[in-house]
């Protein structure tokens, strides 16, 4: 199985940039298609799709969210961070089954 | 608007079977997409369990393959999860989700609210 590694916690100040990383144990890209996706989950809510295929913003997601990366290293950026962004963020790969998720990064305010 | 809603018992005894229903509104499950179950354990690890395709074929996580069954009732636009021989390690919040069919869209774009299931005697 492809293992996705995320740092457990990231603390940032409001108005600053947050950079959340996800590293895969093997490449999750096929040709130029990066099969990594990002979700936001707030307490008591279901996960919400933020970014698909590494860099595509899902419908209704604010432009302060962006994604980048290829191969094994991917990044979710939130700029600027707002209070409403306090949540856990998960990456997920669809390069191969079984599809796997990262362990999540909890975004906290400094 | 597409909505998914899980339902089922919140408490299951060890060695018994866990059975959940996902009711879908706003989209017909035979029209496209795959229909998936995902669970989140205490401590936040998330696991894709498997899906049933719009044509009725299934794909399961090998870690669960001997215990899991995903079926559907197309007349009710519902799909179901059965997990056999549960242990306390199956305690989790269970989500149903719409999952993209093609490799480049293989991710969940709509999720249910989730149902917490505790395995305990």
């Amino acid at each position: 199985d492809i293992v996705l590694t995320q740092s457990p916690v990231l603390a940032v100040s409001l108005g600053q940039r947050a950079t959340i990383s996800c590293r895969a144990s093997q490449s999750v890209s096929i040709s130029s298609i990066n099969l990594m996706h990002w979700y936001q989950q707030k307490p008591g809510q279901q996960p919400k799709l933020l970014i698909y295929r590494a860099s595509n913003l899902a419908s209704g997601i604010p432009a302060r969210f962006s994604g980048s990366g290829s191969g094994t290293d991917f990044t979710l950026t939130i700029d600027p961070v707002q209070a409403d962004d306090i949540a856990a963020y998960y990456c997920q790969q669809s390069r191969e089954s079984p599809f796997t998720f990262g362990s999540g990064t909890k975004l906290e305010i400094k | 608007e597409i909505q998914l809603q899980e339902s089922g018992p919140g408490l299951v005894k060890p060695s018994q079977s866990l059975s959940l229903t996902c009711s879908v509104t706003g989209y017909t499950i035979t029209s496209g997409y795959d229909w998936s179950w995902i669970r989140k354990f205490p401590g936040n690890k998330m696991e894709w369990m498997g899906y049933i395709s719009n044509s009725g074929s299934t794909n399961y996580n090998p870690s669960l393959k001997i215990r899991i069954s995903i079926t559907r009732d197309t007349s009710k636009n519902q799909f179901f999860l059965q997990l056999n021989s549960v242990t306390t390690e199956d305690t989790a919040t269970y989500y149903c989700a719409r999952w993209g069919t093609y490799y480049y869209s293989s991710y969940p774009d709509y999720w249910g609210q989730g149902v917490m299931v505790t395995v305990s005697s």
Side-chain angles (χ1 to χ4, degrees):
Chain A
D1 298 4
I2 297 177
V3 176
L4 303 180
T5 301
Q6 297 182 247
S7 297
V9 178
L10 177 66
V12 298
S13 302
L14 291 176
Q16 299 302 304
R17 174 184 298 177
T19 303
I20 297 171
S21 64
C22 177
R23 174 164 287 177
S25 59
Q26 63 190 76
S27 176
V28 299
S29 301
I30 299 177
S31 300
S32 60
I33 303 174
N34 301 303
L35 298 171
M36 183 69 80
H37 322 288
W38 290 94
Y39 305 87
Q40 176 194 66
Q41 187 173 30
K42 297 179 180 179
Q45 297 184 16
Q46 69 269 55
K48 179 195 296 185
L49 177 67
L50 294 177
I51 301 283
Y52 61 93
R53 291 197 297 276
S55 60
N56 297 277
L57 203 62
S59 176
I61 303 302
R64 65 177 184 277
F65 291 90
S66 63
S68 63
S70 64
T72 61
D73 292 299
F74 295 86
T75 300
L76 171 70
T77 300
I78 311 170
D79 190 11
V81 169
Q82 298 185 0
D84 187 52
D85 301 332
I86 301 311
Y89 293 86
Y90 295 87
C91 53
Q92 175 249 322
Q93 65 81 21
S94 59
R95 172 62 179 83
E96 64 181 37
S97 181
F99 310 113
T100 51
F101 291 84
S103 52
T105 297
K106 188 175 178 183
L107 184 65
E108 296 181 345
I109 299 300
K110 272 186 188 174
Chain B
E1 183 189 2
I2 299 166
Q3 292 189 322
L4 296 90
Q5 180 67 58
E6 305 88 350
S7 59
L11 181 64
V12 181
K13 290 183 172 12
S15 80
Q16 294 189 344
S17 293
L18 178 163
S19 296
L20 298 175
T21 298
C22 182
S23 300
V24 181
T25 57
Y27 194 89
T28 302
I29 63 174
T30 55
S31 294
Y33 290 90
D34 298 328
W35 302 89
S36 186
W37 289 96
I38 301 156
R39 61 182 178 177
K40 185 179 176 187
F41 298 99
N44 297 327
K45 177 187 171 186
M46 216 172 313
E47 179 180 61
W48 169 77
M49 301 180 72
Y51 64 66
I52 186 164
S53 75
N54 58 85
S55 65
S57 61
T58 53
N59 182 17
Y60 300 136
N61 191 319
S63 68
L64 298 168
K65 204 158 191 176
I66 61 171
R67 298 198 293 137
I68 190 173
S69 177
I70 299 176
T71 57
R72 65 182 185 173
D73 183 337
T74 57
S75 68
K76 295 182 178 179
N77 214 38
Q78 295 175 327
F79 63 105
F80 312 101
L81 170 70
Q82 181 171 318
L83 186 66
N84 299 322
S85 305
V86 299
T87 71
T88 55
E89 301 207 339
D90 294 308
T91 293
T93 298
Y94 288 75
Y95 297 95
C96 59
R98 189 178 82 163
W99 197 280
T101 297
Y102 304 103
Y103 77 95
Y104 53 82
S105 64
S106 193
Y107 50 83
D109 59 353
Y110 287 90
W111 298 65
Q113 291 190 322
V115 58
M116 186 178 296
V117 179
T118 300
V119 179
S120 175
S121 54

